[in-house]
Amino acid sequence: MAYNILIVDDSKIIRSVIKKTLEISGIPVGDIFEASNGLEGLTAMREHWIDLVFADLNMPVMNGLEMLDMMAQEKLIQKIPVLICSTEGSKTRIEELFKKGVRAFLRKPITPEVLRNVVKEVMGDYDAS
Amino acid sequence: MRADWQEIVKKICFDVLEQLAFMFCEELEKKDVCNPDEDFLKATMVFSGHHGGALDIIVPRQLTPALVYNILGMDEDDIIESDIAEDALKELLNTLCGRMLPALFTDVETFDLHPPEISSFTKQQWLEMLHRENTIAFAIEDSPVLLNVHFDE
C-alpha cells in the first residue's frame, strides 16, 4: 500500500527536503500534498485521502498546535497520524504535543534514516479504518 | 557572552551546517578575517520566553545558492527559484536557534521563536558586526560567515 502524505510547513525548502527524503527512503509513497500553514493543511485533509501528515509547529495563519486542535474536532480527519517536524527543543512542549495525540516528533534537521524509521514505526500500527 | 556559551554556539552551528547542508565550517580568528568586497544578507531571529534576545547570521549573498544546492542535493546546473535561497537561510537560522536555546539553558524552559527576517547588510555594518564581542566568525567554502547572539538584559 502506498501512502498519501501531506506536508504542512511554511518553508518551501523544508517541504522539498521532506519530499526528497521520502522518495529515497524506500517508503511506499502515493500522492504528496503540500500546505504552507495549518489552515491550508486542514483544507487538504478534507479534500484528499491522507494517510500521514508531516507538520511544522511555527507557521503563519494557523500554527501546528492550532491545526491539531481543529483536527481533533473533525471525525473524518481526527485519526490521521501526525508527525511533527520542528526545531522545538523544550521537553515540556514536546510532552504537550504527545498529549494532543501526535504520533512522533522529529527534531530538525531530519535525516533520511530517522524519517524512514519513524514512518515505519507509526504506519506499522496504523489502522486506516 | 560567556566563553563556554560561545563554544557551545559554535559547535551547534558547525554540526547543524554539516547535518542540514553537508557544509563544513572552518573556524576563523577575527584578526584573520579578510575584508570581503561582497554584498551580504542578514537573517535575524528574535526569541522570547524564558529569556529574550536574538540570533543573527550574516552570509555573503553569493553563498545562498550553494546552501540551497547542498540542502536539496541539487546539481549546480539546476535552476533554483529566487525565493528559495532566502528560505534556506531562514531555515538554517531557525534550526540553529532551536538547537541553541535548550543547549544554553535547559530543555524544560520554553521559548517562542519569532519568524526569521532577512535584510541586506552593508560592508560597513559587516565590519561593525565582526568586532562585536558576541560575534563568532567562521568560513564556509572560503566565504566568511558571522553569527551573533545577544540576550536582553
Side-chain angles (χ1 to χ4, degrees), chain A residues 9-14 16-17 20 58 87-93 107-109, chain B residues 19 71-72 81 83 87-88 91 94-95 98-99 102 107-113:
Chain A
D9 198 310
D10 56 327
S11 166
K12 199 187 252 185
I13 200 157
I14 287 300
S16 300
V17 166
K20 209 156 195 173
N58 294 323
T87 57
E88 180 62 61
S90 159
K91 264 188 187 169
T92 315
R93 289 236 172 101
R107 192 150 178 227
K108 292 176 182 175
Chain B
Q19 289 166 20
I71 290 175
L72 292 179
E81 296 166 59
D83 58 339
D87 200 33
E91 195 51 40
N94 184 28
T95 308
R99 292 265 170 178
D107 59 10
V108 177
E109 316 299 350
T110 56
F111 291 91
D112 293 312
L113 307 186

PDB file of all heavy atoms in Angstrom, chain A residues 9-14 16-17 20 58 87-93 107-109, chain B residues 19 71-72 81 83 87-88 91 94-95 98-99 102 107-113:
ATOM      1  N   ASP A   9       4.227  22.871   6.092  1.00  0.00           N
ATOM      2  CA  ASP A   9       5.375  23.651   6.572  1.00  0.00           C
ATOM      3  C   ASP A   9       5.431  24.935   5.762  1.00  0.00           C
ATOM      4  O   ASP A   9       5.224  24.907   4.546  1.00  0.00           O
ATOM      5  CB  ASP A   9       6.675  22.837   6.382  1.00  0.00           C
ATOM      6  CG  ASP A   9       7.821  23.372   7.234  1.00  0.00           C
ATOM      7  OD1 ASP A   9       8.077  24.587   7.191  1.00  0.00           O
ATOM      8  OD2 ASP A   9       8.456  22.575   7.930  1.00  0.00           O
ATOM      9  N   ASP A  10       5.695  26.060   6.428  1.00  0.00           N
ATOM     10  CA  ASP A  10       5.749  27.330   5.694  1.00  0.00           C
ATOM     11  C   ASP A  10       7.046  27.473   4.908  1.00  0.00           C
ATOM     12  O   ASP A  10       7.169  28.369   4.079  1.00  0.00           O
ATOM     13  CB  ASP A  10       5.560  28.529   6.641  1.00  0.00           C
ATOM     14  CG  ASP A  10       6.565  28.560   7.770  1.00  0.00           C
ATOM     15  OD1 ASP A  10       6.975  27.483   8.221  1.00  0.00           O
ATOM     16  OD2 ASP A  10       6.929  29.664   8.202  1.00  0.00           O
ATOM     17  N   SER A  11       8.010  26.614   5.144  1.00  0.00           N
ATOM     18  CA  SER A  11       9.279  26.696   4.422  1.00  0.00           C
ATOM     19  C   SER A  11       9.240  25.774   3.201  1.00  0.00           C
ATOM     20  O   SER A  11       9.126  24.554   3.327  1.00  0.00           O
ATOM     21  CB  SER A  11      10.423  26.276   5.349  1.00  0.00           C
ATOM     22  OG  SER A  11      11.580  26.034   4.599  1.00  0.00           O
ATOM     23  N   LYS A  12       9.363  26.423   2.030  1.00  0.00           N
ATOM     24  CA  LYS A  12       9.340  25.668   0.773  1.00  0.00           C
ATOM     25  C   LYS A  12      10.498  24.672   0.727  1.00  0.00           C
ATOM     26  O   LYS A  12      10.354  23.541   0.266  1.00  0.00           O
ATOM     27  CB  LYS A  12       9.469  26.673  -0.378  1.00  0.00           C
ATOM     28  CG  LYS A  12       9.034  26.148  -1.714  1.00  0.00           C
ATOM     29  CD  LYS A  12       9.373  27.150  -2.792  1.00  0.00           C
ATOM     30  CE  LYS A  12       8.177  27.843  -3.332  1.00  0.00           C
ATOM     31  NZ  LYS A  12       8.503  28.729  -4.476  1.00  0.00           N
ATOM     32  N   ILE A  13      11.643  25.110   1.249  1.00  0.00           N
ATOM     33  CA  ILE A  13      12.825  24.241   1.165  1.00  0.00           C
ATOM     34  C   ILE A  13      12.663  23.011   2.070  1.00  0.00           C
ATOM     35  O   ILE A  13      13.080  21.913   1.707  1.00  0.00           O
ATOM     36  CB  ILE A  13      14.132  25.013   1.459  1.00  0.00           C
ATOM     37  CG1 ILE A  13      15.322  24.238   0.903  1.00  0.00           C
ATOM     38  CG2 ILE A  13      14.328  25.314   2.927  1.00  0.00           C
ATOM     39  CD1 ILE A  13      16.531  25.070   0.618  1.00  0.00           C
ATOM     40  N   ILE A  14      12.007  23.182   3.202  1.00  0.00           N
ATOM     41  CA  ILE A  14      11.795  22.020   4.087  1.00  0.00           C
ATOM     42  C   ILE A  14      10.778  21.065   3.473  1.00  0.00           C
ATOM     43  O   ILE A  14      10.940  19.842   3.545  1.00  0.00           O
ATOM     44  CB  ILE A  14      11.380  22.480   5.506  1.00  0.00           C
ATOM     45  CG1 ILE A  14      12.580  23.077   6.224  1.00  0.00           C
ATOM     46  CG2 ILE A  14      10.786  21.340   6.329  1.00  0.00           C
ATOM     47  CD1 ILE A  14      13.781  22.146   6.406  1.00  0.00           C
ATOM     48  N   SER A  16      10.453  20.575   0.348  1.00  0.00           N
ATOM     49  CA  SER A  16      11.230  19.871  -0.683  1.00  0.00           C
ATOM     50  C   SER A  16      12.140  18.816  -0.068  1.00  0.00           C
ATOM     51  O   SER A  16      12.293  17.720  -0.614  1.00  0.00           O
ATOM     52  CB  SER A  16      12.092  20.863  -1.479  1.00  0.00           C
ATOM     53  OG  SER A  16      11.296  21.812  -2.102  1.00  0.00           O
ATOM     54  N   VAL A  17      12.762  19.149   1.066  1.00  0.00           N
ATOM     55  CA  VAL A  17      13.663  18.194   1.729  1.00  0.00           C
ATOM     56  C   VAL A  17      12.874  16.958   2.168  1.00  0.00           C
ATOM     57  O   VAL A  17      13.311  15.822   1.937  1.00  0.00           O
ATOM     58  CB  VAL A  17      14.356  18.853   2.960  1.00  0.00           C
ATOM     59  CG1 VAL A  17      15.012  17.794   3.841  1.00  0.00           C
ATOM     60  CG2 VAL A  17      15.390  19.868   2.518  1.00  0.00           C
ATOM     61  N   LYS A  20      11.913  14.893  -0.895  1.00  0.00           N
ATOM     62  CA  LYS A  20      13.085  14.198  -1.432  1.00  0.00           C
ATOM     63  C   LYS A  20      13.484  13.034  -0.513  1.00  0.00           C
ATOM     64  O   LYS A  20      13.832  11.951  -0.979  1.00  0.00           O
ATOM     65  CB  LYS A  20      14.241  15.193  -1.545  1.00  0.00           C
ATOM     66  CG  LYS A  20      15.179  14.856  -2.637  1.00  0.00           C
ATOM     67  CD  LYS A  20      15.937  16.050  -3.137  1.00  0.00           C
ATOM     68  CE  LYS A  20      16.549  15.661  -4.470  1.00  0.00           C
ATOM     69  NZ  LYS A  20      17.164  16.727  -5.164  1.00  0.00           N
ATOM     70  N   ASN A  58       5.729  26.152  14.137  1.00  0.00           N
ATOM     71  CA  ASN A  58       5.670  27.604  13.948  1.00  0.00           C
ATOM     72  C   ASN A  58       5.358  27.940  12.498  1.00  0.00           C
ATOM     73  O   ASN A  58       6.208  27.785  11.634  1.00  0.00           O
ATOM     74  CB  ASN A  58       7.002  28.255  14.344  1.00  0.00           C
ATOM     75  CG  ASN A  58       7.278  28.109  15.818  1.00  0.00           C
ATOM     76  OD1 ASN A  58       6.361  28.183  16.640  1.00  0.00           O
ATOM     77  ND2 ASN A  58       8.527  27.879  16.166  1.00  0.00           N
ATOM     78  N   THR A  87      11.980  22.483  15.127  1.00  0.00           N
ATOM     79  CA  THR A  87      13.227  22.742  15.859  1.00  0.00           C
ATOM     80  C   THR A  87      12.962  22.835  17.352  1.00  0.00           C
ATOM     81  O   THR A  87      13.878  23.077  18.123  1.00  0.00           O
ATOM     82  CB  THR A  87      13.861  24.063  15.396  1.00  0.00           C
ATOM     83  OG1 THR A  87      12.911  25.100  15.588  1.00  0.00           O
ATOM     84  CG2 THR A  87      14.287  24.006  13.966  1.00  0.00           C
ATOM     85  N   GLU A  88      11.714  22.664  17.760  1.00  0.00           N
ATOM     86  CA  GLU A  88      11.356  22.801  19.180  1.00  0.00           C
ATOM     87  C   GLU A  88      12.274  21.925  20.045  1.00  0.00           C
ATOM     88  O   GLU A  88      12.469  20.751  19.758  1.00  0.00           O
ATOM     89  CB  GLU A  88       9.892  22.361  19.373  1.00  0.00           C
ATOM     90  CG  GLU A  88       9.396  22.452  20.798  1.00  0.00           C
ATOM     91  CD  GLU A  88       9.421  23.877  21.360  1.00  0.00           C
ATOM     92  OE1 GLU A  88       8.752  24.743  20.819  1.00  0.00           O
ATOM     93  OE2 GLU A  88      10.146  24.102  22.343  1.00  0.00           O
ATOM     94  N   GLY A  89      12.817  22.532  21.100  1.00  0.00           N
ATOM     95  CA  GLY A  89      13.754  21.781  21.941  1.00  0.00           C
ATOM     96  C   GLY A  89      13.277  21.631  23.366  1.00  0.00           C
ATOM     97  O   GLY A  89      13.973  21.043  24.190  1.00  0.00           O
ATOM     98  N   SER A  90      12.101  22.148  23.667  1.00  0.00           N
ATOM     99  CA  SER A  90      11.611  22.092  25.045  1.00  0.00           C
ATOM    100  C   SER A  90      10.845  20.793  25.287  1.00  0.00           C
ATOM    101  O   SER A  90       9.837  20.515  24.627  1.00  0.00           O
ATOM    102  CB  SER A  90      10.708  23.292  25.315  1.00  0.00           C
ATOM    103  OG  SER A  90       9.868  23.025  26.399  1.00  0.00           O
ATOM    104  N   LYS A  91      11.326  20.031  26.270  1.00  0.00           N
ATOM    105  CA  LYS A  91      10.661  18.767  26.636  1.00  0.00           C
ATOM    106  C   LYS A  91       9.215  19.033  27.037  1.00  0.00           C
ATOM    107  O   LYS A  91       8.325  18.249  26.734  1.00  0.00           O
ATOM    108  CB  LYS A  91      11.385  18.133  27.831  1.00  0.00           C
ATOM    109  CG  LYS A  91      12.403  17.101  27.455  1.00  0.00           C
ATOM    110  CD  LYS A  91      12.910  16.422  28.716  1.00  0.00           C
ATOM    111  CE  LYS A  91      14.073  15.499  28.395  1.00  0.00           C
ATOM    112  NZ  LYS A  91      14.755  15.035  29.592  1.00  0.00           N
ATOM    113  N   THR A  92       9.019  20.142  27.732  1.00  0.00           N
ATOM    114  CA  THR A  92       7.678  20.496  28.210  1.00  0.00           C
ATOM    115  C   THR A  92       6.719  20.595  27.018  1.00  0.00           C
ATOM    116  O   THR A  92       5.617  20.047  27.034  1.00  0.00           O
ATOM    117  CB  THR A  92       7.747  21.865  28.939  1.00  0.00           C
ATOM    118  OG1 THR A  92       8.884  21.858  29.788  1.00  0.00           O
ATOM    119  CG2 THR A  92       6.496  22.157  29.715  1.00  0.00           C
ATOM    120  N   ARG A  93       7.152  21.312  25.982  1.00  0.00           N
ATOM    121  CA  ARG A  93       6.290  21.489  24.801  1.00  0.00           C
ATOM    122  C   ARG A  93       6.111  20.177  24.044  1.00  0.00           C
ATOM    123  O   ARG A  93       5.035  19.899  23.523  1.00  0.00           O
ATOM    124  CB  ARG A  93       6.907  22.540  23.867  1.00  0.00           C
ATOM    125  CG  ARG A  93       6.819  23.946  24.413  1.00  0.00           C
ATOM    126  CD  ARG A  93       6.100  24.861  23.416  1.00  0.00           C
ATOM    127  NE  ARG A  93       5.852  26.163  24.012  1.00  0.00           N
ATOM    128  CZ  ARG A  93       6.591  27.240  23.767  1.00  0.00           C
ATOM    129  NH1 ARG A  93       7.606  27.177  22.937  1.00  0.00           N
ATOM    130  NH2 ARG A  93       6.293  28.389  24.331  1.00  0.00           N
ATOM    131  N   ARG A 107      13.068  16.065  15.303  1.00  0.00           N
ATOM    132  CA  ARG A 107      13.734  17.347  15.510  1.00  0.00           C
ATOM    133  C   ARG A 107      14.594  17.672  14.300  1.00  0.00           C
ATOM    134  O   ARG A 107      15.411  16.861  13.862  1.00  0.00           O
ATOM    135  CB  ARG A 107      14.591  17.276  16.780  1.00  0.00           C
ATOM    136  CG  ARG A 107      15.065  18.625  17.213  1.00  0.00           C
ATOM    137  CD  ARG A 107      15.221  18.671  18.710  1.00  0.00           C
ATOM    138  NE  ARG A 107      15.714  19.972  19.093  1.00  0.00           N
ATOM    139  CZ  ARG A 107      16.711  20.159  19.930  1.00  0.00           C
ATOM    140  NH1 ARG A 107      17.311  19.130  20.475  1.00  0.00           N
ATOM    141  NH2 ARG A 107      17.090  21.379  20.252  1.00  0.00           N
ATOM    142  N   LYS A 108      14.403  18.861  13.740  1.00  0.00           N
ATOM    143  CA  LYS A 108      15.195  19.288  12.583  1.00  0.00           C
ATOM    144  C   LYS A 108      16.641  19.516  13.009  1.00  0.00           C
ATOM    145  O   LYS A 108      16.864  19.992  14.117  1.00  0.00           O
ATOM    146  CB  LYS A 108      14.628  20.584  12.011  1.00  0.00           C
ATOM    147  CG  LYS A 108      13.266  20.451  11.367  1.00  0.00           C
ATOM    148  CD  LYS A 108      12.797  21.829  10.928  1.00  0.00           C
ATOM    149  CE  LYS A 108      11.408  21.782  10.321  1.00  0.00           C
ATOM    150  NZ  LYS A 108      10.895  23.120  10.012  1.00  0.00           N
ATOM    151  N   PRO A 109      17.629  19.270  12.166  1.00  0.00           N
ATOM    152  CA  PRO A 109      17.490  18.739  10.810  1.00  0.00           C
ATOM    153  C   PRO A 109      17.220  17.233  10.821  1.00  0.00           C
ATOM    154  O   PRO A 109      17.814  16.507  11.598  1.00  0.00           O
ATOM    155  CB  PRO A 109      18.853  19.055  10.187  1.00  0.00           C
ATOM    156  CG  PRO A 109      19.805  19.158  11.326  1.00  0.00           C
ATOM    157  CD  PRO A 109      19.029  19.598  12.502  1.00  0.00           C
TER     158      PRO A 109
ATOM    159  N   GLN B  19      24.914  18.722   9.171  1.00  0.00           N
ATOM    160  CA  GLN B  19      23.764  17.806   9.064  1.00  0.00           C
ATOM    161  C   GLN B  19      22.724  18.290   8.055  1.00  0.00           C
ATOM    162  O   GLN B  19      22.145  17.511   7.321  1.00  0.00           O
ATOM    163  CB  GLN B  19      23.090  17.652  10.425  1.00  0.00           C
ATOM    164  CG  GLN B  19      23.916  16.862  11.426  1.00  0.00           C
ATOM    165  CD  GLN B  19      23.384  17.028  12.844  1.00  0.00           C
ATOM    166  OE1 GLN B  19      22.251  17.410  13.064  1.00  0.00           O
ATOM    167  NE2 GLN B  19      24.219  16.752  13.819  1.00  0.00           N
ATOM    168  N   ILE B  71      21.486  21.688   0.558  1.00  0.00           N
ATOM    169  CA  ILE B  71      20.352  21.184   1.360  1.00  0.00           C
ATOM    170  C   ILE B  71      19.510  20.233   0.525  1.00  0.00           C
ATOM    171  O   ILE B  71      19.080  19.185   0.994  1.00  0.00           O
ATOM    172  CB  ILE B  71      19.490  22.358   1.890  1.00  0.00           C
ATOM    173  CG1 ILE B  71      20.254  23.142   2.961  1.00  0.00           C
ATOM    174  CG2 ILE B  71      18.170  21.845   2.481  1.00  0.00           C
ATOM    175  CD1 ILE B  71      19.530  24.391   3.469  1.00  0.00           C
ATOM    176  N   LEU B  72      19.288  20.597  -0.741  1.00  0.00           N
ATOM    177  CA  LEU B  72      18.405  19.780  -1.584  1.00  0.00           C
ATOM    178  C   LEU B  72      19.154  18.730  -2.406  1.00  0.00           C
ATOM    179  O   LEU B  72      18.536  17.971  -3.144  1.00  0.00           O
ATOM    180  CB  LEU B  72      17.594  20.683  -2.523  1.00  0.00           C
ATOM    181  CG  LEU B  72      16.560  21.578  -1.836  1.00  0.00           C
ATOM    182  CD1 LEU B  72      15.848  22.442  -2.852  1.00  0.00           C
ATOM    183  CD2 LEU B  72      15.540  20.747  -1.064  1.00  0.00           C
ATOM    184  N   GLU B  81      14.597  28.589  -7.692  1.00  0.00           N
ATOM    185  CA  GLU B  81      13.683  29.744  -7.643  1.00  0.00           C
ATOM    186  C   GLU B  81      14.297  30.804  -6.727  1.00  0.00           C
ATOM    187  O   GLU B  81      14.973  30.479  -5.753  1.00  0.00           O
ATOM    188  CB  GLU B  81      12.327  29.297  -7.100  1.00  0.00           C
ATOM    189  CG  GLU B  81      11.640  28.307  -8.022  1.00  0.00           C
ATOM    190  CD  GLU B  81      10.475  27.606  -7.335  1.00  0.00           C
ATOM    191  OE1 GLU B  81       9.553  28.311  -6.895  1.00  0.00           O
ATOM    192  OE2 GLU B  81      10.510  26.375  -7.241  1.00  0.00           O
ATOM    193  N   ASP B  83      13.152  32.884  -4.495  1.00  0.00           N
ATOM    194  CA  ASP B  83      12.784  32.999  -3.075  1.00  0.00           C
ATOM    195  C   ASP B  83      13.318  31.863  -2.218  1.00  0.00           C
ATOM    196  O   ASP B  83      13.384  31.966  -1.007  1.00  0.00           O
ATOM    197  CB  ASP B  83      11.261  33.096  -2.932  1.00  0.00           C
ATOM    198  CG  ASP B  83      10.536  31.913  -3.546  1.00  0.00           C
ATOM    199  OD1 ASP B  83      11.138  31.235  -4.400  1.00  0.00           O
ATOM    200  OD2 ASP B  83       9.386  31.656  -3.174  1.00  0.00           O
ATOM    201  N   ASP B  87      14.790  31.455   1.767  1.00  0.00           N
ATOM    202  CA  ASP B  87      14.089  30.454   2.564  1.00  0.00           C
ATOM    203  C   ASP B  87      15.097  29.498   3.231  1.00  0.00           C
ATOM    204  O   ASP B  87      14.941  29.123   4.395  1.00  0.00           O
ATOM    205  CB  ASP B  87      13.158  29.673   1.623  1.00  0.00           C
ATOM    206  CG  ASP B  87      12.053  28.956   2.366  1.00  0.00           C
ATOM    207  OD1 ASP B  87      11.607  29.489   3.391  1.00  0.00           O
ATOM    208  OD2 ASP B  87      11.654  27.878   1.919  1.00  0.00           O
ATOM    209  N   ALA B  88      16.145  29.163   2.488  1.00  0.00           N
ATOM    210  CA  ALA B  88      17.175  28.255   3.014  1.00  0.00           C
ATOM    211  C   ALA B  88      17.907  28.908   4.184  1.00  0.00           C
ATOM    212  O   ALA B  88      18.175  28.255   5.205  1.00  0.00           O
ATOM    213  CB  ALA B  88      18.167  27.891   1.914  1.00  0.00           C
ATOM    214  N   GLU B  91      15.651  28.914   7.211  1.00  0.00           N
ATOM    215  CA  GLU B  91      15.529  27.595   7.812  1.00  0.00           C
ATOM    216  C   GLU B  91      16.793  27.224   8.587  1.00  0.00           C
ATOM    217  O   GLU B  91      16.725  26.608   9.648  1.00  0.00           O
ATOM    218  CB  GLU B  91      15.230  26.546   6.730  1.00  0.00           C
ATOM    219  CG  GLU B  91      14.744  25.231   7.254  1.00  0.00           C
ATOM    220  CD  GLU B  91      13.567  25.328   8.235  1.00  0.00           C
ATOM    221  OE1 GLU B  91      12.654  26.147   8.008  1.00  0.00           O
ATOM    222  OE2 GLU B  91      13.569  24.586   9.236  1.00  0.00           O
ATOM    223  N   ASN B  94      16.543  29.150  11.812  1.00  0.00           N
ATOM    224  CA  ASN B  94      15.504  28.531  12.634  1.00  0.00           C
ATOM    225  C   ASN B  94      16.040  27.281  13.346  1.00  0.00           C
ATOM    226  O   ASN B  94      15.863  27.097  14.556  1.00  0.00           O
ATOM    227  CB  ASN B  94      14.331  28.182  11.698  1.00  0.00           C
ATOM    228  CG  ASN B  94      13.135  27.623  12.424  1.00  0.00           C
ATOM    229  OD1 ASN B  94      12.904  27.927  13.581  1.00  0.00           O
ATOM    230  ND2 ASN B  94      12.369  26.799  11.742  1.00  0.00           N
ATOM    231  N   THR B  95      16.756  26.457  12.589  1.00  0.00           N
ATOM    232  CA  THR B  95      17.311  25.226  13.160  1.00  0.00           C
ATOM    233  C   THR B  95      18.394  25.555  14.198  1.00  0.00           C
ATOM    234  O   THR B  95      18.444  24.946  15.273  1.00  0.00           O
ATOM    235  CB  THR B  95      17.882  24.320  12.048  1.00  0.00           C
ATOM    236  OG1 THR B  95      16.878  24.154  11.047  1.00  0.00           O
ATOM    237  CG2 THR B  95      18.289  22.962  12.577  1.00  0.00           C
ATOM    238  N   GLY B  98      16.704  26.918  17.372  1.00  0.00           N
ATOM    239  CA  GLY B  98      16.001  25.844  18.072  1.00  0.00           C
ATOM    240  C   GLY B  98      16.943  24.890  18.793  1.00  0.00           C
ATOM    241  O   GLY B  98      16.616  24.310  19.820  1.00  0.00           O
ATOM    242  N   ARG B  99      18.132  24.716  18.254  1.00  0.00           N
ATOM    243  CA  ARG B  99      19.131  23.847  18.888  1.00  0.00           C
ATOM    244  C   ARG B  99      19.894  24.592  19.981  1.00  0.00           C
ATOM    245  O   ARG B  99      20.295  23.999  20.987  1.00  0.00           O
ATOM    246  CB  ARG B  99      20.148  23.374  17.842  1.00  0.00           C
ATOM    247  CG  ARG B  99      19.583  22.439  16.823  1.00  0.00           C
ATOM    248  CD  ARG B  99      19.833  21.020  17.259  1.00  0.00           C
ATOM    249  NE  ARG B  99      19.099  20.102  16.419  1.00  0.00           N
ATOM    250  CZ  ARG B  99      19.173  18.786  16.552  1.00  0.00           C
ATOM    251  NH1 ARG B  99      19.925  18.255  17.470  1.00  0.00           N
ATOM    252  NH2 ARG B  99      18.481  18.011  15.777  1.00  0.00           N
ATOM    253  N   PRO B 102      17.928  25.380  24.036  1.00  0.00           N
ATOM    254  CA  PRO B 102      17.943  24.350  25.080  1.00  0.00           C
ATOM    255  C   PRO B 102      19.355  23.965  25.504  1.00  0.00           C
ATOM    256  O   PRO B 102      19.560  23.504  26.624  1.00  0.00           O
ATOM    257  CB  PRO B 102      17.224  23.155  24.449  1.00  0.00           C
ATOM    258  CG  PRO B 102      16.855  23.534  23.090  1.00  0.00           C
ATOM    259  CD  PRO B 102      17.328  24.901  22.788  1.00  0.00           C
ATOM    260  N   ASP B 107      16.250  21.999  28.717  1.00  0.00           N
ATOM    261  CA  ASP B 107      15.170  21.609  27.810  1.00  0.00           C
ATOM    262  C   ASP B 107      13.805  21.627  28.495  1.00  0.00           C
ATOM    263  O   ASP B 107      12.806  21.185  27.935  1.00  0.00           O
ATOM    264  CB  ASP B 107      15.444  20.255  27.138  1.00  0.00           C
ATOM    265  CG  ASP B 107      15.619  19.132  28.140  1.00  0.00           C
ATOM    266  OD1 ASP B 107      15.346  19.351  29.335  1.00  0.00           O
ATOM    267  OD2 ASP B 107      16.028  18.032  27.720  1.00  0.00           O
ATOM    268  N   VAL B 108      13.762  22.143  29.721  1.00  0.00           N
ATOM    269  CA  VAL B 108      12.476  22.305  30.399  1.00  0.00           C
ATOM    270  C   VAL B 108      11.923  23.710  30.113  1.00  0.00           C
ATOM    271  O   VAL B 108      10.720  23.920  30.020  1.00  0.00           O
ATOM    272  CB  VAL B 108      12.644  22.080  31.930  1.00  0.00           C
ATOM    273  CG1 VAL B 108      11.330  22.310  32.656  1.00  0.00           C
ATOM    274  CG2 VAL B 108      13.160  20.679  32.189  1.00  0.00           C
ATOM    275  N   GLU B 109      12.838  24.669  29.957  1.00  0.00           N
ATOM    276  CA  GLU B 109      12.416  26.043  29.683  1.00  0.00           C
ATOM    277  C   GLU B 109      11.766  26.118  28.299  1.00  0.00           C
ATOM    278  O   GLU B 109      12.140  25.384  27.390  1.00  0.00           O
ATOM    279  CB  GLU B 109      13.621  27.001  29.692  1.00  0.00           C
ATOM    280  CG  GLU B 109      14.605  26.792  30.821  1.00  0.00           C
ATOM    281  CD  GLU B 109      14.004  26.980  32.190  1.00  0.00           C
ATOM    282  OE1 GLU B 109      12.853  27.456  32.279  1.00  0.00           O
ATOM    283  OE2 GLU B 109      14.655  26.623  33.179  1.00  0.00           O
ATOM    284  N   THR B 110      10.805  27.026  28.163  1.00  0.00           N
ATOM    285  CA  THR B 110      10.168  27.178  26.845  1.00  0.00           C
ATOM    286  C   THR B 110      10.518  28.537  26.245  1.00  0.00           C
ATOM    287  O   THR B 110      10.651  29.536  26.955  1.00  0.00           O
ATOM    288  CB  THR B 110       8.637  27.033  26.936  1.00  0.00           C
ATOM    289  OG1 THR B 110       8.134  27.976  27.869  1.00  0.00           O
ATOM    290  CG2 THR B 110       8.244  25.634  27.354  1.00  0.00           C
ATOM    291  N   PHE B 111      10.657  28.538  24.932  1.00  0.00           N
ATOM    292  CA  PHE B 111      10.974  29.752  24.182  1.00  0.00           C
ATOM    293  C   PHE B 111      10.012  29.852  23.002  1.00  0.00           C
ATOM    294  O   PHE B 111       9.586  28.840  22.459  1.00  0.00           O
ATOM    295  CB  PHE B 111      12.402  29.693  23.635  1.00  0.00           C
ATOM    296  CG  PHE B 111      13.464  29.775  24.693  1.00  0.00           C
ATOM    297  CD1 PHE B 111      13.964  28.617  25.274  1.00  0.00           C
ATOM    298  CD2 PHE B 111      13.962  31.000  25.112  1.00  0.00           C
ATOM    299  CE1 PHE B 111      14.935  28.678  26.262  1.00  0.00           C
ATOM    300  CE2 PHE B 111      14.937  31.075  26.099  1.00  0.00           C
ATOM    301  CZ  PHE B 111      15.423  29.911  26.673  1.00  0.00           C
ATOM    302  N   ASP B 112       9.726  31.079  22.607  1.00  0.00           N
ATOM    303  CA  ASP B 112       8.955  31.300  21.383  1.00  0.00           C
ATOM    304  C   ASP B 112       9.897  31.880  20.346  1.00  0.00           C
ATOM    305  O   ASP B 112      10.540  32.899  20.586  1.00  0.00           O
ATOM    306  CB  ASP B 112       7.804  32.278  21.651  1.00  0.00           C
ATOM    307  CG  ASP B 112       6.772  31.650  22.579  1.00  0.00           C
ATOM    308  OD1 ASP B 112       6.372  30.503  22.314  1.00  0.00           O
ATOM    309  OD2 ASP B 112       6.411  32.294  23.574  1.00  0.00           O
ATOM    310  N   LEU B 113       9.981  31.199  19.212  1.00  0.00           N
ATOM    311  CA  LEU B 113      10.827  31.679  18.130  1.00  0.00           C
ATOM    312  C   LEU B 113       9.960  32.480  17.165  1.00  0.00           C
ATOM    313  O   LEU B 113       8.960  31.970  16.672  1.00  0.00           O
ATOM    314  CB  LEU B 113      11.490  30.510  17.394  1.00  0.00           C
ATOM    315  CG  LEU B 113      12.259  29.492  18.241  1.00  0.00           C
ATOM    316  CD1 LEU B 113      12.965  28.493  17.346  1.00  0.00           C
ATOM    317  CD2 LEU B 113      13.270  30.188  19.142  1.00  0.00           C
TER     318      LEU B 113
END
